[in-house]
């Protein structure tokens, strides 16, 4: 038996093990560290997470004259196309201001302005789907400001161990150890620097690993977004939901030499126009809200125009605003584009859609609990019911903060009731060898991401989904065989997880016989209004939900 575990380890032990160093994971670590010993795993550097690259901001109601909690709730429900959980939406939105104030207490500096009386207040942007200005931001690099502040606080805390270049191989559950009870015991973790696999025990494990958007060829996400937490939870026995709802950001910079770079929703929120190469604005053909329509509508519109006209990209034009305005509101975007000889104050920005956000994920409740006692999921890895069929702009960082706090409160309530983890078996690599065929991983990674882009992208059909599944079955078997024979590397782990995520996306898409939110299929181009909208929920064979 290859990649088995036989010997008993002298285990490292933490009260709480958090996989992921983004906004969700670090927020929870800081909440818990006054009482518990916490380890935070970062697959690569601490800053290599989706939070760090988030530009737009965090949605929260601060303008009491014109905006309201009820309006934010309504906007979110509309964007979610009938699949949001209203109770979860209200829970999340109601904690918006409190969450922002907590971040400010952690040293995050948000952009401010002076009102008519000269009093300083938060500057609020408006983005697609929002009926009011309610996006709190730090220029156009909000995620970076949040990430750096939380990292600094975590590094200074004696109860938090930050383990960079550590990648979870597998969750260890009581059921896997032969116990009849359900529960989490810890995880096998690859130290990417040494190549060794550690056995780490913990009473509580939290998945905060982000999304799965690197399953597609083009993505705005950092390369860590390989669906690790979703695949880990699925293999451990957790249900997964709504994986067909993969959000494509409408405006990723199109440039032959540039790494994927997001052009923030806020550019459209501040008056940017989407145009064809001849200068024609085209969004009026798709939605009365024009450029401020929800992302799924804008992304499909751009995809349609690109295919209809046989062009490589469309353009986002903000050049009708002054250079001073652009430099003040979008300094990062302005500088990045200028380095590529694109002066956005003088010329439009070439843009294409790219995979951006995973709206589905591991099924959780209002306390961030999964199906396995002691295992939590927060942030993009989770399916809380907030986003429904389409995430509204800037609700994601808010979700990270709110559910980090929800998990914090629940962990404090139940921690003393959880059993101590038993002695855990060490990972056994005695029957595997070093691979001399690394090209297999690179080839399979590329093949997977290409057919997912072509067949399971912005616009789908039954035939495309069937083709994708046929290719996936062959790829999955090949990767499983490879995994059983060779020593584990980070690339192999990511590929193994991506194949599982791809299968979950395709299976969910095949089950939804309608178009709704981010899932659009030519075979069923309209929503099915004959019945109440329902989530697509998948349960693995080892799920407690099937017992």
């Amino acid at each position: 038996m290859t990649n088995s575990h036989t010997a008993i380890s002298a285990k490292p032990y933490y009260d709480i093990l958090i996989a992921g160093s983004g906004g969700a994971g670090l927020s929870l670590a800081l909440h818990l560290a006054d009482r518990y010993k916490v380890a935070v795993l970062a697959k690569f550097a601490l800053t290599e997470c989706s939070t760090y690259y988030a530009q737009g901001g965090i949605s929260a109601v601060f303008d009491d004259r014109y905006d309201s909690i009820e309006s934010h709730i309504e906007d979110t429900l509309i964007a979610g196309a009938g699949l949001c959980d209203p109770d979860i939406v209200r829970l999340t939105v109601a904690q918006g201001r409190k969450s922002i104030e907590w971040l400010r207490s952690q040293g995050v500096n948000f952009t401010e302005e002076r009102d008519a009386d000269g009093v300083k207040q938060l500057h609020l942007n408006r983005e697609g789907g929002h009926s009011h200005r309610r996006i709190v931001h730090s220029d156009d690099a909000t995620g970076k400001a949040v990430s750096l502040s939380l990292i600094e606080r975590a590094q200074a805390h004696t109860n938090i161990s930050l383990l960079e270049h550590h990648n979870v191989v597998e969750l260890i559950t009581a059921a896997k150890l032969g116990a009849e009870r359900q529960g989490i015991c810890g995880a096998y973790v690859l130290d990417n620097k040494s190549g060794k696999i550690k056995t780490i025990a913990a009473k509580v494990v939290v998945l905060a690993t982000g999304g799965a958007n690197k399953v597609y060829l083009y993505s705005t996400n950092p390369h860590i977004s390989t669906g690790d937490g979703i695949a880990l939870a699925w293999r451990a026995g957790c249900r997964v939901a709504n994986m067909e709802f993969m959000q494509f950001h409408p405006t990723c910079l199109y440039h032959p030499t540039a790494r994927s770079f997001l052009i923030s929703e806020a550019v459209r929120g501040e008056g940017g126009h989407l145009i064809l190469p001849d200068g024609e604005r085209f969004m009026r053909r798709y939605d009365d809200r024009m450029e401020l329509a929800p992302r799924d509508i804008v992304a499909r519109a751009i995809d349609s125009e690109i295919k209809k006209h046989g062009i490589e990209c469309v353009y986002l034009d903000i050049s009708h605003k002054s250079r001073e305005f652009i430099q003040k509101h979008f300094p990062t975007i302005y500088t990045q584009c200028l380095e590529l000889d694109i002066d956005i104050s003088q010329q439009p920005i070439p843009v294409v859609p790219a995979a951006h956000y995973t709206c589905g994920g591991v099924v959780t409740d209002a306390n961030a609990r999964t199906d396995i006692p002691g295992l939590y999921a927060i942030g993009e890895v989770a399916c809380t019911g907030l986003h429904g069929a389409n995430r509204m702009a800037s609700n994601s960082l808010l979700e990270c903060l709110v559910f980090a706090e929800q998990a914090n409160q629940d962990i404090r309530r139940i921690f003393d009731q959880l059993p101590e983890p038993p002695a855990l078996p060490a990972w056994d690599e005695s029957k595997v060898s070093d691979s001399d065929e690394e090209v297999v991983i690179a080839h399979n990674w590329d093949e997977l991401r290409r057919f997912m882009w072509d067949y399971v992208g912005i616009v789908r059909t039954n035939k495309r989904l069937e083709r994708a599944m046929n290719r996936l079955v062959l790829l999955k078997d090949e990767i499983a065989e490879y995994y059983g024979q060779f020593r584990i590397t980070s690339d192999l782990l990511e590929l193994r997880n991506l194949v599982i995520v791809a299968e979950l996306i395709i299976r969910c898409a095949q089950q939804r016989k309608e178009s709704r939110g981010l899932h659009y299929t030519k075979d069923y181009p309209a929503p099915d209004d004959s019945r109440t909208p329902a989530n697509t929920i998948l349960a693995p064979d080892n799920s407690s939900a099937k017992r």
Side-chain angles (χ1 to χ4, degrees):
M1 180 178 176
T2 57
N3 278 340
S4 61
H5 355 98
T6 53
I8 299 298
S9 70
K11 60 182 184 293
Y13 174 80
Y14 297 94
D15 295 323
I16 320 288
L17 178 63
I18 300 174
S21 63
L26 288 178
S27 294
L28 179 56
L30 289 166
H31 287 318
L32 290 168
D34 66 319
R35 184 180 298 183
Y36 305 107
K37 185 180 178 184
V38 182
V40 178
L41 307 180
K43 191 158 62 170
F44 299 106
L46 290 170
T47 54
E48 194 60 21
C49 59
S50 292
T51 297
Y52 183 86
Y53 294 97
Q55 294 179 359
I58 308 169
S59 56
V61 175
F62 275 88
D63 185 355
D64 295 326
R65 294 172 301 167
Y66 302 107
D67 199 4
S68 67
I69 296 293
E70 295 303 322
S71 176
H72 191 175
I73 290 171
E74 182 181 7
D75 290 344
T76 301
L77 292 174
I78 290 171
L83 285 181
C84 297
D85 182 328
D87 293 335
I88 294 293
V89 173
R90 181 171 295 278
L91 166 71
T92 307
V93 169
Q95 295 189 47
R97 187 178 295 205
K98 176 184 173 184
S99 298
I100 297 299
E101 295 303 340
W102 181 80
L103 282 178
R104 295 175 90 174
S105 75
Q106 301 302 306
V108 180
N109 293 316
F110 292 104
T111 301
E112 296 180 327
E113 63 179 356
R114 294 189 183 276
D115 62 15
D117 299 321
V119 178
K120 268 191 174 184
Q121 60 184 14
L122 290 169
H123 179 267
L124 304 174
N125 278 334
R126 183 181 176 190
E127 296 181 352
H130 291 273
S131 56
H132 299 282
R133 286 183 172 270
R134 62 170 73 102
I135 312 302
V136 179
H137 63 102
S138 182
D139 292 331
D140 59 347
T142 306
K144 182 177 181 179
V146 170
S147 185
L148 292 179
S149 293
L150 296 182
I151 288 171
E152 182 178 0
R153 290 296 177 112
Q155 286 173 331
H157 207 297
T158 56
N159 260 3
I160 298 177
S161 299
L162 299 173
L163 305 178
E164 293 184 290
H165 303 283
H166 281 68
N167 194 355
V168 180
V169 177
E170 208 72 271
L171 298 175
I172 305 173
T173 63
K176 286 183 180 178
L177 298 177
E180 297 212 357
R181 71 174 179 86
Q182 284 287 303
I184 196 74
C185 301
Y188 294 110
V189 178
L190 173 65
D191 182 336
N192 292 321
K193 289 292 184 71
S194 70
K196 302 297 183 183
I197 295 178
K198 301 176 179 178
T199 305
I200 300 179
K203 285 183 74 171
V204 172
V205 175
V206 183
L207 299 173
T209 52
N213 302 289
K214 279 296 180 180
V215 76
Y216 289 104
L217 186 60
Y218 302 111
S219 172
T220 64
N221 287 190
H223 62 284
I224 56 100
S225 300
T226 51
D228 301 327
I230 296 170
L232 287 165
W234 175 259
R235 290 197 296 266
C238 294
R239 290 170 301 153
V240 168
N242 290 354
M243 290 300 293
E244 70 270 40
F245 300 119
M246 301 295 288
Q247 186 176 73
F248 291 80
H249 197 287
T251 53
C252 181
L253 176 66
Y254 178 78
H255 192 279
T257 64
R259 173 185 169 178
S260 294
F261 181 73
L262 177 68
I263 305 300
S264 170
E265 186 106 10
V267 175
R268 285 180 284 129
E270 292 294 339
H273 299 158
L274 284 166
I275 59 174
L276 295 172
D278 63 3
E280 179 195 359
R281 292 180 70 180
F282 58 84
M283 278 306 301
R284 62 174 55 88
R285 292 197 284 272
Y286 298 92
D287 196 282
D288 291 341
R289 291 166 289 187
M290 302 283 283
E291 284 83 6
L292 291 178
R295 288 176 174 177
D296 61 318
I297 295 172
V298 178
R300 280 199 299 274
I302 294 173
D303 182 69
S304 174
E305 293 294 321
I306 287 174
K307 289 175 178 173
K308 181 166 65 177
H309 295 285
I311 54 181
E312 294 181 323
C313 64
V314 298
Y315 295 86
L316 180 58
D317 189 10
I318 193 73
S319 64
H320 50 278
K321 297 285 189 178
S322 70
R323 185 186 300 272
E324 292 72 25
F325 178 91
I326 292 170
Q327 289 178 330
K328 178 182 177 182
H329 286 80
F330 309 112
T332 305
I333 296 172
Y334 177 81
T335 302
Q336 179 75 21
C337 289
L338 203 59
E339 290 177 359
L340 299 169
D341 295 322
I342 302 170
D343 184 347
I344 68 173
S345 69
Q346 301 294 317
Q347 62 195 105
I349 309 166
V351 294
V352 292
H356 183 60
Y357 193 86
T358 307
C359 287
V362 183
V363 174
T364 61
D365 65 10
N367 293 313
R369 295 184 183 187
T370 70
D371 293 331
I372 297 175
L375 179 65
Y376 293 75
I378 55 175
E380 193 175 351
V381 68
C383 183
T384 63
L386 173 64
H387 305 306
N390 182 21
R391 176 184 73 104
M392 190 168 68
S394 292
N395 271 356
S396 50
L397 283 176
L398 176 61
E399 181 184 42
C400 288
L401 299 168
V402 169
F403 283 90
E405 172 60 13
Q406 291 295 109
N408 166 49
Q409 296 296 332
D410 194 65
I411 290 168
R412 289 173 182 270
R413 280 193 296 268
I414 72 165
F415 187 83
D416 291 339
Q417 305 165 25
L418 294 172
E420 292 289 334
L424 302 180
W427 188 264
D428 178 18
E429 292 187 315
S430 62
K431 296 182 180 180
V432 296
S433 61
D434 291 324
S435 172
D436 58 358
E437 296 182 338
E438 292 292 330
V439 67
V440 173
I441 295 178
H443 175 82
N444 287 350
W445 180 292
D446 185 65
E447 181 183 351
L448 173 68
R449 296 174 69 209
R450 285 185 182 277
F451 74 64
M452 287 297 291
W453 182 263
D454 290 338
Y455 298 146
V456 200
I458 297 173
V459 177
R460 300 159 181 174
T461 66
N462 288 342
K463 183 62 70 175
R464 290 177 189 175
L465 295 175
E466 183 182 349
R467 286 173 180 154
M469 185 60 83
N470 289 339
R471 282 158 176 75
L472 184 84
V473 169
L474 298 174
L475 206 56
K476 188 178 177 182
D477 289 343
E478 189 172 314
I479 292 167
E481 181 182 3
Y482 189 98
Y483 179 81
Q485 293 178 351
F486 299 111
R487 283 194 177 86
I488 289 170
T489 65
S490 184
D491 285 346
L492 177 56
L493 285 180
E494 290 181 331
L495 178 60
R496 183 180 182 231
N497 291 335
L498 276 175
V499 167
I500 289 175
V501 168
E503 181 180 8
L504 295 173
I505 294 171
I506 297 167
R507 284 176 57 184
C508 285
Q510 287 178 323
Q511 288 191 26
R512 187 163 293 281
K513 306 298 184 183
E514 63 169 349
S515 288
R516 183 176 296 276
L518 298 166
H519 174 70
Y520 182 82
T521 169
K522 287 185 175 181
D523 294 298
Y524 311 97
D528 181 2
D529 294 327
S530 65
R531 57 177 184 162
T532 302
N535 294 317
T536 308
I537 300 176
L538 303 178
D541 291 337
N542 60 338
S543 171
S544 59
K546 285 190 172 182
R547 295 184 184 133

